[in-house]
Amino acid sequence: MSSFKSGFVAIVGPTNVGKSTLLNALIGDKVSIVSSRPQTTRQNIRGIKNLPNGQIVFVDTPGIHKPVHKLGEKMIKEAYDSFKTVDLAILVVDCRKRTNSETKIISELKKTEVPTILVVNKVDSIKKPLLLPIIDNFSKLGFLKEIIPTSAIKREGLQELLMVVLKYLPEGPKYFDDDILTDQYERFMVAEIIREKVMENTRQEVPHSVAVDITSWQKRDDGLISIHANILVEKEGQKIIIIGKKGAMLKKIGIEARIEIEHLLGDRVFLELWVKVRKAWREDEKLLQSLGY
């Protein structure tokens, strides 16, 4: 009889290398918001993958970058702290570029005793002959247990990655029931969906200045869930962009978010959004704590 394996696996790497896309693809459902903007993930997100002979709890961490405010510092601390509490680390890199953050992460991983697998992501974007020298250069680092090329967006290499991850996990219990995909609370997931829609629809200067605060959540007698949320920004100009001409942008964000929230909750949703200016909120320790950062 084969043994049952389980454990916690941190997905780490620089910003914008596809960590959240990889997590969602591995789980087979959306548990972490995705954007082309760097630094989208702000907190560790856990996604649970159930296999016949194991359970893998993936931890999607914030992209590691040089912080410029307290929020950024908290994000980096959360990412590095994840190294200390997992059974395995997956270092994700973009096959097309090397970064200083990547070098820093490798240096930090080398200091730990956590076994590390390298995922060379986005391999669909380069010609295959160019991939071999990249893999060869990384193999010379010495501490990596395995190197797996993947394309998370095209779901290439994922089954091989799952099998390799399971190989390095210890025998253990099932931490979560089979029907649980993530341990995140519904309020957190709803706030993240709204933030994702803001990031998808607004200009370059807006996304990282945005936070979402769920101010009211009520289930009515007719089964409708009524959700009110504040979209927080740092400047009046950002508020104007998010609201849009005659409220068109905010309405578009609300419609897109409501559709996805209804899918998440399995209920009809009434969603009301307000945009509030909170100057320098990313430096406000008390507000950051109230938002869960």
Side-chain angles (χ1 to χ4, degrees):
M1 184 175 179
S2 61
S3 60
F4 190 89
K5 290 189 167 187
S6 63
F8 291 78
V9 180
I11 302 176
V12 301
T15 61
N16 219 26
V17 294
K19 297 186 298 298
S20 296
T21 301
L22 179 66
L23 173 66
N24 291 337
L26 288 168
I27 301 304
D29 207 333
K30 186 173 183 178
V31 296
S32 185
I33 68 170
V34 177
S35 169
S36 60
R37 315 289 191 189
Q39 301 165 36
T40 300
T41 302
R42 289 177 175 167
Q43 294 163 287
N44 289 348
I45 309 292
R46 290 180 180 85
I48 296 98
K49 181 67 176 180
N50 290 295
L51 299 167
N53 56 338
Q55 184 180 77
I56 307 169
V57 184
F58 289 105
V59 185
D60 183 20
T61 64
I64 293 173
H65 59 284
K66 187 176 181 179
V68 293
H69 43 64
K70 283 186 179 179
L71 174 60
E73 290 170 3
K74 287 176 178 291
M75 290 163 62
I76 301 308
K77 184 178 185 303
E78 185 136 350
Y80 281 133
D81 282 352
S82 70
F83 297 173
K84 306 170 187 176
T85 58
V86 294
D87 301 287
L88 181 70
I90 295 176
L91 170 59
V92 184
V93 299
D94 185 333
C95 67
R96 301 168 299 179
K97 58 185 177 182
R98 309 277 66 79
T99 67
N100 291 333
S101 294
E102 182 183 286
T103 304
K104 171 70 173 171
I105 298 164
I106 289 170
S107 175
E108 292 297 322
L109 282 168
K110 280 182 174 180
K111 296 175 187 176
T112 74
E113 295 182 0
V114 179
T116 301
I117 295 168
L118 179 73
V119 165
V120 182
N121 196 27
K122 304 187 181 183
V123 296
D124 57 297
S125 62
I126 65 169
K127 295 179 179 179
K128 293 209 183 308
L130 299 177
L131 184 59
L132 293 176
I134 296 171
I135 292 174
D136 185 55
N137 284 334
F138 277 113
S139 68
K140 293 174 183 176
L141 292 173
F143 77 105
L144 298 167
K145 296 293 185 183
E146 310 262 358
I147 300 176
I148 311 294
T150 68
S151 169
I153 201 165
K154 292 196 173 183
R155 307 183 66 83
E156 295 175 3
L158 301 188
Q159 286 305 310
E160 181 185 359
L161 177 58
L162 285 172
M163 294 304 101
V164 168
V165 167
L166 204 59
K167 181 171 76 172
Y168 287 97
L169 291 185
E171 291 185 18
K174 184 174 286 190
Y175 293 101
F176 298 92
D177 292 338
D178 287 343
D179 59 345
I180 296 178
L181 297 179
T182 178
D183 66 347
Q184 301 302 319
Y185 293 112
E186 289 177 340
R187 278 177 176 257
F188 172 83
M189 297 294 290
V190 166
E192 287 288 88
I193 288 169
I194 296 168
R195 185 165 68 92
E196 178 188 58
K197 302 313 173 189
V198 173
M199 295 181 76
E200 286 179 348
N201 285 285
T202 56
R203 299 178 193 172
Q204 186 68 37
E205 67 269 23
V206 174
H208 300 308
S209 301
V210 169
V212 176
D213 183 21
I214 306 295
T215 58
S216 174
W217 183 304
Q218 293 179 323
K219 187 154 188 175
R220 302 191 330 200
D221 292 340
D222 61 1
L224 185 76
I225 298 176
S226 177
I227 301 172
H228 296 247
N230 288 335
I231 298 172
L232 306 181
V233 294
E234 292 185 320
K235 300 176 182 177
E236 193 66 35
Q238 295 166 342
K239 177 179 177 179
I240 292 169
I241 290 171
I242 291 175
I243 292 174
K245 189 175 182 180
K246 296 182 179 180
M249 178 58 74
L250 187 60
K251 182 179 179 181
K252 184 174 187 288
I253 290 167
I255 290 171
E256 292 179 4
R258 179 182 55 77
I259 291 170
E260 194 161 321
I261 292 166
E262 287 182 336
H263 174 74
L264 171 72
L265 302 179
D267 282 302
R268 293 181 301 121
V269 169
F270 169 77
L271 179 64
E272 185 169 42
L273 301 177
W274 297 87
V275 186
K276 307 282 187 180
V277 177
R278 295 286 186 273
K279 292 183 179 179
W281 69 262
R282 288 178 290 181
E283 296 289 350
D284 187 332
E285 185 72 38
K286 188 174 181 181
L287 180 57
L288 289 172
Q289 288 181 1
S290 72
L291 292 170
Y293 298 125

